[in-house]
Each structure stands twice: as structure tokens, then as C-alpha cells.
Amino acid sequence: MPGIGIDVVGLKKKLGPNQALDGTDFSFEGGVLHGLIGPNGAGKTTLLRTLMGLLKPDAGTIRFFSDETSSSGSVEFKDVREGMAYMPQRQSLYADLSIGEHLDFFRDLYSLPEDVYRPRRKELLAITRLDKFTDRAAGQLSGGMYKKLGLMCSLLRSP
């Protein structure tokens, strides 16, 4: 998949009494690693959730483009979604599902074919060193192991 770029113009989002985003503008070039840095309450999580379609902006525009469309216009979010991942900072997994069950759940959620899923699962488990704990429930994991599981679920589709 080509690199995904994002242009944001005048993005606004209010959460309750708080103006989380107030006319935010930026451009993320496709194929380049970008970071969001700021203090608590700066709007980083709101911005990411809005970019991922989890929140609807109150105003402004978000334009996604690929290397192939950067000069010819934007693409629909659904067309770039496969190349993006979001890992929430708060616990968002099911405490009663095991590591293996979570990976299987996300395989189904992402509609990954078995020939893609099996090697990726094996690689992610090895990289995170969770391969010996696939039967352990998420609620029984240490904080670090839990974050590794969340990361594996986000990377399973290989964004």
C-alpha cells in the first residue's frame, strides 16, 4: 500500500465544555513517520480519534491522500483505513479473552485471510515475547504485557 498523507484544515471538536480542537491545521506527508507531542489536555487523543473516524469533527476538513493521488485529489477514508492503526492509551481489550482469543478476534474484525494471519500472528508473538502466554487472559496480564497485546492487535493488519 502506498504512503498515506493527511491534510487537516480548520479542524474543531468540542467535548462537553472543553474545546479540544480549535481550528487545527497540519499536513502529514505520506510515507513519513510523524509524532504528536503536547501536554495533557492538548487534544492529541481527540485529534487521533477524529482522524480515525471514531469522532466526528464539529468543523473543518480532513483530506486523505496516497502517494498516487497527492496531486490529483483525495481518497476516501475507507480506501486508506487498511493502512492505518490506532492503539488507545486506556485499557480497551476484553479482560476475559486470552491473548490468542484477542488475536483471533482482530483477525476476524480485519477479515484477514488465514495465510496472512498465521505468519503475522507468529511474528508478533515472537517480537513481543508473548508466545508462551497465548492462553493467559488479558485481565491477568501485567501492564507491559497488556500494552504489548494492544500493540499486537493494532499491528495485526500491518498498517
Side-chain angles (χ1 to χ4, degrees):
M1 170 166 273
I4 298 167
I6 306 170
D7 285 332
V8 171
V9 178
L11 197 62
K12 292 186 177 193
K13 182 64 185 172
K14 192 169 188 174
L15 299 172
N18 300 318
Q19 188 69 47
L21 302 173
D22 193 12
T24 302
D25 298 320
F26 67 84
S27 228
F28 285 163
E29 183 181 344
V32 176
L33 180 64
H34 297 273
L36 293 174
I37 302 170
N40 289 345
K44 300 177 301 291
T45 299
T46 301
L47 176 61
L48 289 173
R49 288 180 178 168
T50 305
L51 292 176
M52 295 300 294
L54 301 172
L55 293 174
K56 185 177 177 175
D58 298 329
T61 60
I62 302 170
R63 182 178 80 93
F64 297 95
F65 57 91
S66 69
D67 295 336
E68 299 159 349
T69 63
S70 58
S71 61
S72 63
S74 60
V75 295
E76 297 292 321
F77 178 69
K78 66 179 177 55
D79 296 327
V80 297
R81 173 68 182 101
E82 189 174 311
M84 299 173 75
Y86 173 70
M87 182 179 154
Q89 63 185 358
R90 292 201 170 89
Q91 291 190 355
S92 59
L93 302 173
Y94 299 100
D96 56 335
L97 290 183
S98 70
I99 289 174
E101 290 169 329
H102 272 95
L103 293 175
D104 291 346
F105 172 77
F106 278 88
R107 171 203 58 208
D108 296 343
L109 185 68
Y110 296 149
S111 301
L112 290 174
E114 203 62 30
D115 63 323
V116 171
Y117 169 68
R118 283 289 157 201
R120 193 163 300 146
R121 178 186 195 273
K122 183 177 180 179
E123 178 186 21
L124 289 169
L125 285 167
I127 290 170
T128 59
R129 298 184 182 162
L130 292 177
D131 47 343
K132 294 181 175 77
F133 306 99
T134 56
D135 292 332
R136 188 175 293 182
Q140 301 301 312
L141 298 174
S142 69
M145 292 171 83
Y146 187 93
K147 287 183 190 251
K148 286 180 185 181
L149 174 58
L151 182 60
M152 280 194 306
C153 293
S154 295
L155 295 178
L156 195 57
R157 186 171 35 198
S158 192

